Amino acid sequence: MEPFRIDIPQAELDDLQRRLAGTRWPDDLPDAGWDRGVPMHYLKELADHWQNDYDWRAAEAAINKFPQFVTEIDGARVHFLHVRSPEPDATPVLLTHGWPGSIAEFLKVIEPLTDPAAHGGDAADAVHLVIPSVPGYGFSSPLREPGWDLVRIASAWAELMRRLGYERYVAQGGDFGSVVSLVLSQVAPEAVLGVHVNLLLTPPPPDDPAALAGLDQGDLDRLGLLAGFAAGDLSGYMKLQATRPQTLAYALTDSPVGQLAWIVEKFRDWTGGNGLPEDAVDRDQMLTDVTIYWLTRTAGTSAQLYYETSAVLPIAPPPAEAPPPMTVPLAVSVFPHEMFLPVRRLAEAMYPGIVQWTEHDRGGHFAAMEQPALLIDDLRRFVAALRTSPTR
């Protein structure tokens, strides 16, 4: 393992400025709103802020506050933050992001989780944090070969935690990170104390109408969200990334405004804002996430994960066979503006190890950015329960 520090050459930042200043804008239909994509008046203003007001060096310094490393696992370069708590008996927790997330997603939760006593909390709740960049994302790039699916990522995480000397740990994630965490519990059940997710898919079992009997209207509405996503326009990005990630990569890697639009649309569609992404997520933190994709040229390599996992995405037919049962405790944190809301009865049939289920009153897909305090509290309660469990 080698220490790592982000230090983007100034020439890269100058190139970004030049490209933003020279953007070739398309025509825009008047009064179309967001129905046809990101409105040009909004994107022009955001791009201007990115060019003239946003400070990458400040964001770089904020990330570099935390110890970072790179190591090679299974032929891939893996970049990760490793933030140890001042409390020596803290529980290790592995945080995994998804798309279009990055390590920047977790910046607001790192210090309260690792040093709760310094943030008005109880020192007994402290955790050590390991926050890797998924292979092909951010500074875990470039990818050198295909085949980086969920099982391979989970296996790499198990090896990473082994190398760090953590024999028992908790896995947490949202988006792809939730699925990686669930798979990790099957890859290394002897090491995973429990899994905490803020996204859980609960499709109805195929060819089993009885599974839906007795569901109330709220549960049926949640199932409708999943079906509507698969059939509607919100899944267009997924279908493209799952089928032609390389073709998409040329446009997004050559145009920063293209990359910005592709990602910022998700911060609008998947959050609990009042119409604009920054109503839910801090604008500069969102731009830090976008800038990481731009500077590392990972629009295409990050999308490869959709290609590798296309058979299990929400646009794919439901699997004919249920996955093997989990053998570790599971906590589910449900944020109301998540694009996929789980149905508890179906979740408990799929995951009999659910020991904590929390329905929040605000927040959406990017929980660590939108509602960090709620996520922190929920994760703390789960970890505390695991510490006192006689079976773990």
Side-chain angles (χ1 to χ4, degrees), residues 16-17 20-21 25 41-56 257 260 264 278 281-288 291:
L16 172 59
Q17 293 286 316
L20 288 170
W25 294 96
H41 68 85
Y42 171 79
L43 197 64
K44 277 189 171 182
E45 193 276 329
L46 185 60
D48 179 75
H49 177 79
W50 194 12
Q51 179 186 354
N52 297 306
D53 301 311
Y54 172 75
D55 185 352
W56 165 257
V257 165
L260 178 64
V264 76
E278 53 265 48
V281 176
D282 177 80
R283 174 181 273 200
D284 281 357
Q285 190 180 14
M286 179 172 64
L287 285 174
T288 295
T291 307

Side-chain angles (χ1 to χ4, degrees), residues 201-217:
L201 297 179
T202 56
D207 304 319
D208 185 10
L212 305 183
L215 293 181
D216 62 23
Q217 189 58 49

Side-chain angles (χ1 to χ4, degrees), residues 235-270:
S235 63
Y237 81 97
M238 182 179 288
K239 294 171 183 175
L240 184 54
Q241 296 196 151
T243 56
R244 296 293 187 269
Q246 188 61 33
T247 302
L248 175 67
Y250 299 115
L252 301 188
T253 306
D254 191 57
S255 168
V257 165
Q259 179 71 92
L260 178 64
W262 190 249
I263 290 180
V264 76
E265 182 178 69
K266 308 313 166 204
F267 279 97
R268 195 260 184 180
D269 289 343
W270 303 348

Side-chain angles (χ1 to χ4, degrees), residues 61-304:
I63 300 172
N64 283 337
K65 282 172 51 179
F66 305 110
Q68 299 167 74
F69 303 86
V70 290
T71 189
E72 184 163 313
I73 301 177
D74 193 14
R77 167 191 166 105
V78 174
H79 162 261
F80 63 98
L81 277 63
H82 184 202
V83 188
R84 288 189 58 84
S85 170
E87 307 298 330
D89 295 329
T91 301
V93 175
L94 173 68
L95 300 180
T96 305
H97 66 82
W99 185 92
S102 66
I103 55 168
E105 205 171 321
F106 300 112
L107 292 178
K108 291 181 178 179
V109 306
I110 293 174
E111 291 177 330
L113 284 173
T114 56
D115 193 4
H119 294 80
D122 187 341
D125 290 328
V127 302
H128 304 305
L129 287 179
V130 179
I131 310 174
S133 299
V134 172
Y137 286 69
F139 301 99
S140 288
S141 60
L143 280 181
R144 300 187 182 99
E145 60 184 2
W148 277 95
D149 58 12
L150 299 170
V151 173
R152 192 169 178 183
I153 294 169
S155 299
W157 282 188
E159 172 62 14
L160 174 62
M161 296 302 277
R162 186 195 68 78
R163 291 185 189 181
L164 292 172
Y166 293 130
E167 297 180 355
R168 307 296 299 280
Y169 50 87
V170 175
Q172 198 286 330
D175 196 87
F176 271 126
S178 68
V179 191
V180 170
S181 299
L182 293 169
V183 173
L184 178 58
S185 73
Q186 297 177 325
V187 169
E190 73 291 343
V192 178
L193 285 164
V195 173
H196 182 286
V197 297
N198 53 281
L199 181 148
L200 188 69
L201 297 179
T202 56
D207 304 319
D208 185 10
L212 305 183
L215 293 181
D216 62 23
Q217 189 58 49
D219 287 339
L220 293 175
D221 289 345
R222 290 186 173 199
L223 288 178
L225 288 175
L226 186 60
F229 175 88
D233 60 336
L234 290 179
S235 63
Y237 81 97
M238 182 179 288
K239 294 171 183 175
L240 184 54
Q241 296 196 151
T243 56
R244 296 293 187 269
Q246 188 61 33
T247 302
L248 175 67
Y250 299 115
L252 301 188
T253 306
D254 191 57
S255 168
V257 165
Q259 179 71 92
L260 178 64
W262 190 249
I263 290 180
V264 76
E265 182 178 69
K266 308 313 166 204
F267 279 97
R268 195 260 184 180
D269 289 343
W270 303 348
T271 62
N274 296 314
L276 295 177
E278 53 265 48
D279 293 336
V281 176
D282 177 80
R283 174 181 273 200
D284 281 357
Q285 190 180 14
M286 179 172 64
L287 285 174
T288 295
D289 183 68
V290 175
T291 307
I292 288 174
Y293 278 82
W294 173 259
L295 294 174
T296 58
R297 307 183 188 195
T298 48
T301 53
S302 63
Q304 295 294 336

Side-chain angles (χ1 to χ4, degrees), residues 3-8 60-61 64-66 68-69:
F4 180 84
R5 187 173 179 84
I6 302 172
D7 186 15
I8 299 299
E60 191 177 67
N64 283 337
K65 282 172 51 179
F66 305 110
Q68 299 167 74
F69 303 86

